[in-house]
């Protein structure tokens, strides 16, 4: 009995091998068509009531609240009839929302003691303030001068500016403080400076 050998090797006859021995190539592919269908399904559909009609000759207001229980707090007065009881409920809600609208009610206590600005410095006092500031800026700081003359520190800064020695000392103190900062704080301060520059450019 003669046994005929196959002309091709057995490994090339893939249909005779079990499925577990075959190489599996699973490479996901995403085409424009599938992405378009997915985006279309995820896009919410706009309600027809919110779309302005082309038959209207001029613009108009479209009031389309979300699906929820009716509430007088969410319905504007312009959409309520004159005899609607919700108008009374809405007026009561506004009265409770601002209890200090009644002049007979007492206001809460102030956060700080009220005071009035005083402009009591004459030319002689301003000259004395400038002399003290120029004589010893380390002793006569803005806080001490404001306490002595009874004015604000902002006014002291406008009337008598610090000397160059005091300004250089403040800058050097700031540089020494920055030298002790870590990488995280340095990056945070740099980002803050960049944000301020962007704000100045209105971007």
């Amino acid at each position: 009995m003669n046994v005929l050998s196959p002309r091709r090797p057995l490994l090339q006859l893939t249909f005779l091998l079990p499925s577990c021995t075959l190489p599996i190539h699973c490479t996901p592919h995403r085409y424009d068509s599938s992405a378009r269908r997915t985006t279309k399904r995820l896009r919410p559909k706009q309600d027809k009531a919110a779309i302005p009609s082309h038959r209207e000759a001029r613009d108009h207001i479209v009031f389309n609240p979300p699906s929820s229980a009716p509430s007088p707090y969410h319905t504007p007065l312009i959409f309520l009839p004159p005899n609607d009881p919700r108008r009374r409920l809405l007026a009561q809600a506004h009265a409770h929302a601002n209890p200090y609208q009644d002049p007979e009610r007492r206001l809460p206590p102030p956060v700080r003691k009220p005071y009035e600005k005083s402009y009591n410095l004459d030319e002689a006092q301003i000259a004395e303030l400038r002399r003290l500031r120029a004589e010893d800026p380390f002793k006569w700081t803005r806080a001490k001068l404001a306490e002595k003359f009874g004015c604000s520190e902002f006014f002291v800064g406008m009337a008598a500016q610090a000397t160059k020695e005091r300004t250089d000392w403040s800058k050097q103190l700031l540089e020494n403080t920055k030298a002790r900062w870590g990488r995280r704080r340095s990056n945070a301060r740099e980002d803050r400076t960049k944000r301020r520059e962007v704000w100045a450019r209105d971007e």
Side-chain angles (χ1 to χ4, degrees):
M1 181 178 181
N2 297 330
V3 178
L4 299 177
S5 59
R7 296 182 179 180
R8 292 188 296 173
L10 185 61
L11 294 177
Q12 294 183 3
L13 304 176
T14 55
F15 61 90
L16 297 178
L17 298 176
S19 59
C20 61
T21 60
L22 297 177
I24 301 176
H25 300 283
C26 296
T27 304
H29 295 281
R30 188 175 181 86
Y31 301 97
D32 294 341
S33 57
S34 59
R36 193 183 308 110
R37 286 195 301 269
T38 305
T39 307
K40 185 177 180 180
R41 291 177 181 176
L42 295 177
R43 186 184 301 116
K45 295 182 179 179
Q46 191 175 11
D47 192 82
K48 294 182 179 180
I51 303 175
S53 176
H54 297 287
R55 294 176 297 179
E56 298 291 339
R58 60 186 64 182
D59 296 337
H60 57 281
I61 300 176
V62 177
F63 180 65
N64 185 28
S67 301
S68 60
S71 173
Y73 307 107
H74 299 161
T75 306
L77 288 175
I78 193 174
F79 296 103
L80 295 178
N83 300 329
D84 198 300
R86 288 177 291 179
R87 286 181 173 270
R88 178 175 52 84
L89 297 176
L90 194 59
Q92 295 177 358
H94 288 320
H96 290 290
N98 189 9
Y100 298 104
Q101 191 173 5
D102 188 1
E104 297 182 358
R105 283 180 172 267
R106 297 184 59 185
L107 295 176
V111 178
R112 65 177 182 178
K113 186 178 179 179
Y115 68 97
E116 294 182 0
K117 293 184 179 181
S118 58
Y119 305 93
N120 54 349
L121 296 183
D122 52 8
E123 294 294 337
Q125 291 176 331
I126 294 178
E128 178 67 14
L129 186 146
R130 291 174 178 174
R131 186 187 66 79
L132 294 175
R133 183 67 166 168
E135 180 181 348
D136 193 354
F138 294 94
K139 176 183 178 181
W140 294 104
T141 59
R142 295 172 58 175
K144 290 185 178 180
L145 289 173
E147 183 180 359
K148 176 179 176 60
F149 291 94
C151 59
S152 63
E153 298 183 14
F154 179 73
F155 178 78
V156 174
M158 291 191 305
Q161 297 183 0
T163 59
K164 187 177 184 303
E165 180 184 2
R166 172 72 178 185
T167 305
D168 295 341
W169 178 83
S170 301
K171 291 181 179 180
Q172 185 63 32
L173 182 62
L174 180 60
E175 293 298 331
N176 295 339
T177 304
K178 289 182 178 181
R180 296 193 299 267
W181 289 353
R183 180 173 56 85
R184 180 178 298 179
R185 177 170 291 185
S186 300
N187 294 340
R189 291 303 178 95
E190 185 178 357
D191 293 342
R192 181 187 299 179
T193 305
K194 292 180 180 179
R195 286 197 301 269
R196 288 179 178 176
E197 293 177 357
V198 172
W199 296 341
R201 295 195 300 265
D202 194 14
E203 296 182 359

